[in-house]
């Protein structure tokens, strides 16, 4: 799976993708990782046809998909029946993420050699990812949701537990925008193929994995300390905003009183 970034609503160029990749669509790097750390709180998988499509049906769907794809980012079918293509993931994270402190961005050499820069330091810091940032990924039909999430975290060098995040599919139905949480075993490229290339029909969104209650045990002590620091900063900002608001009101009232006293009865 390769990853490409974009801060706009469109795709990045293929040249940018080649400079910003870190593993290929057929890489099995995440297979072993997932087997050692099984994910919890799996949701029910998205509805899929009872019978898996035949090779001929897949070929027909890919041909139809490619005729509607206008950005030269079509899907490619392999002889073994698997296929590769592109999906776009919107990042809608409301909470800060934890990353290594003082680490340079990964180079193309690091990407090819799969160098884990996060493992080179124990120092951590937190920051907010840009809201509504977009990542374009080149994946295969066998790439699962869990691999997509871990790939995104690896790209940003985020060291948070992947269980804190979930991939949603966003659809339009009856004039409403609906979100459905995907199972970690779902294959996003298959869903993309069924829906077609129109992102207004189907798009993917990375969000916090809301479970109803915050699982504080899943956070490390440095993470909790960072959260406290962020909360204190936000609290001070809010206090200053309220103080400025009422200082302005007080100033207006005092000016009005002075003007009233200066007028003849």
């Amino acid at each position: 799976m390769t990853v490409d970034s974009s801060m706009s609503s469109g795709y990045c160029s293929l040249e940018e993708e080649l400079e910003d990749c870190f593993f290929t669509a057929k890489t099995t790097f995440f297979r072993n990782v997932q087997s050692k750390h099984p994910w919890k709180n799996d949701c029910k998988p998205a509805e899929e046809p009872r019978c898996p499509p035949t090779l001929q049906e897949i070929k027909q769907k890919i041909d139809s998909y490619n005729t509607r794809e206008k950005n030269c980012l079509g899907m490619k079918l392999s002889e073994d029946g698997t296929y590769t293509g592109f999906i776009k993931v919107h990042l809608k994270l409301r909470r800060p993420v934890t990353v290594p402190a003082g680490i340079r961005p990964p180079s193309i050499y690091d990407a090819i050699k799969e160098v884990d820069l996060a493992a080179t330091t124990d120092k951590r810091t937190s920051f907010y990812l840009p809201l509504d940032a977009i990542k374009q990924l080149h994946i295969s039909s066998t790439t699962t949701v869990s691999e997509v999430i871990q790939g995104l975290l690896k790209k940003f060098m985020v060291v948070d537990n992947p269980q804190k995040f979930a991939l949603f599919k966003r659809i339009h139905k009856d004039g409403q925008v609906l979100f459905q949480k995907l199972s970690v075993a779902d294959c996003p490229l298959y869903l993309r193929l069924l829906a077609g290339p129109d992102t207004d029909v189907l798009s993917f969104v990375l969000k916090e994995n809301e479970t109803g209650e915050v699982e504080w045990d899943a956070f490390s002590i440095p993470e909790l300390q960072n959260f406290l620091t962020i909360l204190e900063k936000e609290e001070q900002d809010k206090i200053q905003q309220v103080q400025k608001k009422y200082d302005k009101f007080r100033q207006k009232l005092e000016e009005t009183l002075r003007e009233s006293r200066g007028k003849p009865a």
Side-chain angles (χ1 to χ4, degrees):
M1 176 168 60
T2 59
V3 176
D4 189 20
S5 61
S6 172
M7 291 302 294
S8 65
S9 58
Y11 289 104
C12 283
S13 66
L14 294 180
E15 288 78 8
E16 289 175 341
E17 176 206 342
L18 293 175
E19 296 176 354
D20 201 23
C21 63
F22 59 90
F23 54 96
T24 66
K26 293 187 178 294
T27 301
T28 57
F29 171 76
F30 288 127
R31 302 292 184 189
N32 295 332
V33 175
Q34 183 178 353
S35 62
K36 293 181 180 179
H37 303 285
W39 286 25
K40 299 179 181 179
N41 300 326
D42 291 356
C43 64
K44 293 181 180 180
E47 294 182 2
E48 296 181 357
R50 294 182 180 179
C51 298
T54 63
L55 181 60
Q56 183 61 27
E57 290 174 337
I58 292 177
K59 185 178 184 304
Q60 292 175 354
K61 288 183 179 296
I62 290 178
D63 290 340
S64 175
Y65 182 98
N66 290 341
T67 57
R68 291 177 288 164
E69 170 55 50
K70 305 301 182 182
N71 295 295
C72 299
L73 298 173
M75 297 190 185
K76 296 182 180 180
L77 180 64
S78 302
E79 295 181 356
D80 59 0
T82 61
Y83 49 94
T84 59
F86 295 86
I87 65 171
K88 187 165 60 174
V89 180
H90 296 252
L91 306 181
K92 290 186 176 293
L93 302 177
R94 296 179 292 121
R95 304 189 187 113
V97 295
T98 305
V99 297
I103 295 295
R104 59 175 174 79
S107 64
I108 187 63
Y109 174 83
D110 299 326
I112 296 174
K113 298 297 183 179
E114 296 185 356
V115 177
D116 186 6
L117 295 177
T120 61
T121 179
D122 293 330
K123 297 181 179 179
R124 298 290 185 259
T125 187
S126 296
F127 76 102
Y128 287 92
L129 287 174
L131 188 62
D132 238 357
I134 298 173
K135 286 293 174 181
Q136 180 178 289
L137 293 82
H138 182 234
I139 62 176
S140 77
S141 56
T142 58
T143 303
T144 62
V145 166
S146 63
E147 292 173 317
V148 168
I149 293 175
Q150 293 183 64
L152 288 169
L153 299 184
K154 181 180 176 68
K155 168 60 187 174
F156 284 107
M157 293 191 293
V158 175
V159 296
D160 290 312
N161 192 326
Q163 296 182 37
K164 299 177 184 176
F165 307 91
L167 191 67
F168 291 76
K169 71 174 184 179
R170 180 172 57 190
I171 60 176
H172 292 78
K173 184 176 182 181
D174 299 330
Q176 294 182 333
V177 179
L178 304 177
F179 289 86
Q180 179 182 359
K181 181 180 174 181
L182 298 176
S183 165
V184 293
D186 285 333
C187 297
L189 191 61
Y190 178 64
L191 300 177
R192 179 81 279 162
L193 177 62
L194 294 181
D198 190 353
T199 54
D200 290 334
V201 176
L202 169 72
S203 58
F204 298 102
V205 180
L206 183 71
K207 302 171 66 176
E208 282 85 4
N209 188 11
E210 302 290 355
T211 58
E213 295 182 359
V214 179
E215 298 179 0
W216 296 111
D217 292 341
F219 295 92
S220 65
I221 292 179
E223 287 176 326
L224 295 174
Q225 291 174 338
N226 283 328
F227 290 156
L228 285 175
T229 302
I230 292 171
L231 287 175
E232 290 174 356
K233 183 180 183 302
E234 290 181 351
E235 181 183 16
Q236 292 301 319
D237 291 341
K238 290 294 183 181
I239 291 174
Q240 291 178 5
Q241 291 176 12
V242 173
Q243 288 176 338
K244 289 180 180 179
K245 176 181 177 181
Y246 283 94
D247 286 343
K248 187 175 182 179
F249 286 161
R250 184 181 296 105
Q251 181 180 359
K252 291 291 185 182
L253 287 173
E254 291 175 349
E255 290 177 356
T256 303
L257 283 172
R258 286 195 296 269
E259 293 175 356
S260 299
R261 290 169 181 171
K263 292 181 179 179

